[in-house]
Amino acid sequence: MAQDGRETGFRYQHPLLLVSASPPTGCGLMGDLTDKELKNLKPRTRLYKVTDRDGMHAAVTPTGVISFRYQYRVNGRQEVLTIGRYSAEAARKVTRAPDALEYGMEVSLAEARTLLSRARRQVEIGESPSKAKVEKRTASAEALTFGGWAEAYFKHKADPKSGAEKLADSTLTMRRSVYDRAIAGELSKLKLGEVTPQRLKRLCDEVKEKRGPAVAVHVREVVLLVFRHAQGSGLDVSNPAESIRTSAIATFEPRDRALSPSEVRAVLAALEHVSAAPTLRSAVRFILLTGVRKSEFIDATWKEIDFAAARWTIPAERMKAGKAHVVPLSDQALDILTVFRTMFGASRYLHPGRYDGDTPISNATLNRVIDTAVELVRQEEPDFQSVSVHDLRRTFSTGLNRAKFDDRWIEMSLAHAPRNRIAAVYNVNRYLGERRIMLQCWADMIDAWVKGESARELIADAKQRAAEVHDDELDDDL
């Protein structure tokens, strides 16, 4: 033995590495190892190492475990990578492809050298293979937890490369906030299989008590989406959120809905991106423009339309009040009807069904179109409330009332029965001139809102023109 304490008879060893004083006969300590030599390595009372090539050595522990290690320097630091554990069984099998090999697994000598080549390439570009191994192991461990899958979900939804799967920043931020504040502390360290419906329901109840029903409902939704992401990634796991109905957490009372100008703009902008027939998107606009009930539009026929007079006369038998109703048609409404006539001229209905020109569209068709538009809006505004077809009629009424048009004109446009007996005897054409101006103004107001402009001047001008309308019926009375 040399005076510095190192063993003699084989190449220099680091002072901290323990080596055998009498290496086994036939071991290639100074050259390339062989499988035969590895099988002949015997445990000693202290760990020792046997050199192979290119910085790799086999470390033999006192328990007889043989591990391949690679000693290297990267970015000025001395590091050691445990490439893998030697397996005599792996040595008897066909050598696996490089892509199937990972640091830390049981390998043959040939496979260890393949991984060594990978590690050397990493060192050449300044990357630490030891650090990369730890990071990958940590990521794999986290991926087994709900927290790991949640991070994967948020990363995917924020990545521009995800295409249509990418969420709007506002939606992503809101869901991340719900996760960080109400979910992570309870579920992040659990494996997916440990997130049971019972545990999730208990969490939702606690959040509802502490933060309110809306946040609790979002907790369920985030968990639902994280599990769907895991399932979409190929993981065979049940989704606990699917076992819990939203109504079991909280219910919200339905309310009458009238869209504000900004909401009208949002819905109509989203409507353009709904994957439905363009004529169905136009049908939604047409109902908003005219303020009619859904059934009044669905069953409308071409014989009710007078393009020359720019009016639509709905017969009494189709009206809720049992009286004929005249709808003045704005330029925008006439444009839509022109498209309908071009597309569906062979049908008696303004908009027939998809497969049968002799039947109108179904009662649920326009609801589905609006629902899809609302979902698109929610990508930017998560708290955007649902909208029904009838809400378009409410928006029509509320918008004109906010603009302070004459109540009588608005009530006549809605085909509401007069509130007193004296006014009950009325002509369907009463206030037709004023209503024509009002409905054209309403269509122009919508266009202005879509452009993000004020409709104030449009309203003032329309009111002035409507006030100048000559009432022939009044002259006759006088």
Side-chain angles (χ1 to χ4, degrees):
M1 177 181 290
Q3 292 181 353
D4 62 2
R6 296 191 297 270
E7 302 293 346
T8 58
F10 44 115
R11 65 180 65 169
Y12 173 78
Q13 306 294 334
H14 193 282
L16 295 180
L17 292 176
L18 301 174
V19 296
S20 171
S22 54
T25 303
C27 276
L29 293 174
M30 297 297 292
D32 293 353
L33 282 170
T34 65
D35 279 304
K36 181 178 180 180
E37 291 169 341
L38 286 167
K39 294 174 184 176
N40 289 331
L41 292 176
K42 304 301 180 183
R44 302 295 183 185
T45 56
R46 304 173 73 183
L47 181 146
Y48 69 95
K49 71 176 185 177
V50 185
T51 304
D52 182 47
R53 64 161 78 156
D54 298 326
M56 186 173 80
H57 62 266
V60 186
T61 69
T63 59
V65 175
I66 302 173
S67 297
F68 295 106
R69 298 179 179 180
Y70 170 43
Q71 190 168 329
Y72 58 92
R73 290 187 68 85
V74 62
N75 299 324
R77 298 188 307 274
Q78 186 81 17
E79 296 182 355
V80 177
L81 167 71
T82 299
I83 291 177
R85 180 180 296 186
Y86 175 68
S87 168
E89 182 179 353
R92 290 192 294 268
K93 296 180 179 180
V94 177
T95 301
R96 287 167 286 189
D99 291 345
L101 301 176
E102 297 291 346
Y103 299 134
M105 63 194 313
E106 291 191 345
V107 292
S108 66
L109 175 59
E111 292 171 339
R113 287 172 176 163
T114 298
L115 289 170
L116 171 65
S117 297
R118 180 188 299 176
R120 287 171 60 82
R121 288 193 298 271
Q122 288 177 284
V123 172
E124 288 174 0
I125 62 175
E127 180 181 328
S128 168
S130 181
K131 184 179 179 181
K133 173 187 173 183
V134 172
E135 290 175 347
K136 186 165 186 177
R137 184 171 62 240
T138 301
S140 297
E142 288 181 349
L144 297 175
T145 66
F146 179 82
W149 279 108
E151 294 301 330
Y153 165 77
F154 288 122
K155 182 178 180 181
H156 174 69
K157 292 299 183 179
D159 189 352
K161 296 180 181 178
S162 297
E165 288 284 306
K166 183 180 182 297
L167 287 178
D169 290 342
S170 58
T171 302
L172 196 63
T173 301
M174 186 274 294
R175 289 180 182 170
R176 164 61 84 172
S177 175
V178 170
Y179 173 76
D180 290 341
R181 292 183 296 114
I183 302 175
E186 297 294 327
L187 304 183
S188 64
K189 295 182 180 180
L190 299 178
K191 293 183 178 181
L192 292 185
E194 295 175 324
V195 184
T196 62
Q198 295 80 7
R199 189 189 292 267
L200 176 57
K201 180 60 167 60
R202 186 164 59 249
L203 174 60
C204 289
D205 290 342
E206 292 171 356
V207 171
K208 179 180 177 180
E209 180 69 24
K210 182 178 179 180
R211 302 180 184 274
V215 179
V217 168
H218 279 297
V219 165
R220 174 195 173 275
E221 181 182 16
V222 170
V223 172
L224 176 77
L225 295 172
V226 169
F227 269 86
R228 283 182 178 173
H229 179 71
Q231 291 170 331
S233 299
L235 198 65
D236 184 12
V237 62
S238 60
N239 193 329
E242 292 179 347
S243 300
I244 304 172
R245 298 189 310 275
T246 302
S247 60
I249 301 171
T251 57
F252 301 92
E253 290 297 326
R255 63 181 181 85
D256 289 349
R257 181 94 159 93
L259 304 181
S260 67
S262 62
E263 289 176 324
V264 169
R265 179 184 183 185
V267 170
L268 293 184
L271 196 63
E272 294 304 312
H273 299 284
V274 172
S275 57
T279 53
L280 289 176
R281 300 198 295 264
S282 295
V284 173
R285 282 181 174 268
F286 187 79
I287 290 177
L288 179 61
L289 289 169
T290 56
V292 298
R293 298 178 180 88
K294 181 170 65 173
S295 62
E296 293 163 1
F297 168 76
I298 287 177
D299 295 322
T301 61
W302 287 114
K303 68 180 182 180
E304 299 170 4
I305 304 297
D306 186 339
F307 279 98
R311 68 173 65 176
W312 170 21
T313 304
I314 306 175
E317 61 268 21
R318 291 210 306 110
M319 292 301 300
K320 183 177 180 180
K323 296 180 181 295
H325 178 52
V326 175
V327 181
L329 297 170
S330 63
D331 291 340
Q332 292 88 331
L334 286 169
D335 288 342
I336 292 174
L337 289 176
T338 300
V339 173
F340 288 173
R341 188 65 172 172
T342 302
M343 297 295 295
F344 311 122
S347 174
R348 60 189 291 259
Y349 294 102
L350 302 192
H351 198 305
R354 181 177 180 182
Y355 301 108
D356 187 354
D358 293 330
T359 59
I361 57 175
S362 72
N363 194 51
T365 299
L366 298 182
N367 296 72
R368 289 195 294 266
V369 174
I370 293 181
D371 288 346
T372 304
V374 169
E375 287 303 313
L376 293 176
V377 174
R378 284 175 176 163
Q379 293 183 9
E380 295 290 339
E381 301 177 46
D383 296 328
F384 195 87
Q385 298 296 315
S386 298
V387 180
S388 69
V389 176
H390 195 69
D391 290 336
L392 301 179
R393 179 173 165 87
R394 293 193 186 98
T395 300
F396 173 91
S397 173
T398 301
L400 292 174
N401 275 291
R402 284 176 178 170
K404 294 183 171 56
F405 279 102
D406 192 303
D407 289 345
R408 296 168 298 176
W409 309 345
I410 299 172
E411 291 300 296
M412 286 290 289
S413 296
L414 293 168
H416 285 169
R419 294 188 177 90
N420 59 72
R421 296 180 62 185
I422 296 175
V425 180
Y426 71 102
N427 190 315
V428 294
N429 293 318
R430 187 72 185 272
Y431 305 124
L432 188 59
E434 294 92 336
R435 289 198 289 126
R436 185 182 303 282
I437 294 172
M438 183 178 70
L439 264 68
Q440 182 60 58
C441 178
W442 172 244
D444 294 338
M445 288 164 62
I446 293 172
D447 287 348
W449 294 339
V450 168
K451 296 175 185 176
E453 300 173 354
S454 171
R456 189 178 301 275
E457 293 185 6
L458 293 171
I459 296 169
D461 177 68
K463 286 180 179 178
Q464 182 176 348
R465 288 186 289 112
E468 297 171 355
V469 171
H470 186 69
D471 195 331
D472 290 331
E473 186 173 324
L474 180 60
D475 284 347
D476 292 340
D477 290 342
L478 292 175

